[in-house]
Amino acid sequence: MGGPAVSTTTHRMTRRQAVKLAWQVQAQLRPGCERIEVAGSVRRKTPDVGDLEFVIVPKREAGLFGDASPGESLLDRVLGDLVDEGRLRRGERDGERQKQFVLARSGVKLDLFIVTPATWGVQLAIRTGPSNFSTALVMPRYRGGYLDDDLQISEGRAWRIPSYGAGIVDGTSAVALDTPEESDFLALAGGWVEPEDRR
């Protein structure tokens, strides 16, 4: 899954500036997204914001038989167009699960976390942060975290491990839990906490 992203940008904004910028970016990206939600410090309503983070389920074209086609998503095309138009510059990451850009006009870093409908609930909670809260979300209670001891986070999803202490999701004994919404995942980790109250 990888650890929570840590902001390294030196550009700082007020919350009001960040929210306005986030809405603009979201509107530009929406044509390439099935779902998109701002995460990070903007979602937590912190007064000082360093970068913009979004959790996204990309939109994919329907294949010949109505299934999603592999390869490039519509989000990739939207991002490519924004780069070609000079609105975005490519950042350090360009993977399947995380992409990074810089907004050309403002210099603000943009982190995009690419997820699936099945991983949406877990990933939105983790990517909202802050770091201490996200770390506790993926750790069992016996290690100081919030998860029941028979749960594990792997491949962006929550899994129930039948035998206590197994600790490895091997695809045969573990059971993937449905957490399509963030509230579904947080119910497994002690219950809902408003983003601005997460510590």
Side-chain angles (χ1 to χ4, degrees), residues 109-181:
K109 188 176 79 171
L110 176 64
D111 279 308
L112 308 179
F113 298 99
I114 312 303
V115 305
T116 66
T119 62
W120 175 269
V122 172
Q123 292 301 310
L124 181 57
I126 290 171
R127 299 307 175 185
T128 294
S131 179
N132 289 343
F133 186 82
S134 296
T135 298
L137 279 178
V138 300
M139 291 177 57
R141 288 196 179 98
Y142 78 89
R143 292 185 56 205
Y146 298 145
L147 284 179
D148 286 342
D149 292 342
D150 64 341
L151 298 178
Q152 180 178 340
I153 305 302
S154 181
E155 301 170 2
R157 299 189 68 176
W159 299 76
R160 188 167 306 281
I161 309 298
S163 57
Y164 176 78
I168 298 174
V169 173
D170 63 13
T172 57
S173 60
V175 177
L177 302 178
D178 289 331
T179 56
E181 300 299 331

Side-chain angles (χ1 to χ4, degrees), residues 9-83:
T9 185
T10 56
H11 186 284
R12 306 303 293 180
M13 301 172 279
T14 65
R15 171 170 159 65
R16 183 179 190 140
Q17 291 170 321
V19 167
K20 182 177 179 182
L21 195 54
W23 277 108
Q24 292 170 353
V25 171
Q26 191 166 338
Q28 291 174 336
L29 299 182
R30 188 171 300 283
C33 305
E34 290 290 337
R35 289 185 83 171
I36 180 170
E37 179 81 36
V38 69
S41 53
V42 173
R43 188 163 185 249
R44 294 194 317 271
K45 301 180 180 178
T46 61
D48 186 46
V49 176
D51 56 12
L52 299 179
E53 300 170 63
F54 291 89
V55 176
I56 296 173
V57 176
K59 191 178 287 185
R60 298 194 181 274
E61 290 187 41
L64 182 61
F65 300 104
D67 54 343
S69 59
E72 185 180 60
S73 68
L74 294 181
L75 175 63
D76 291 327
R77 291 185 197 167
V78 169
L79 291 168
D81 289 346
L82 292 171
V83 168

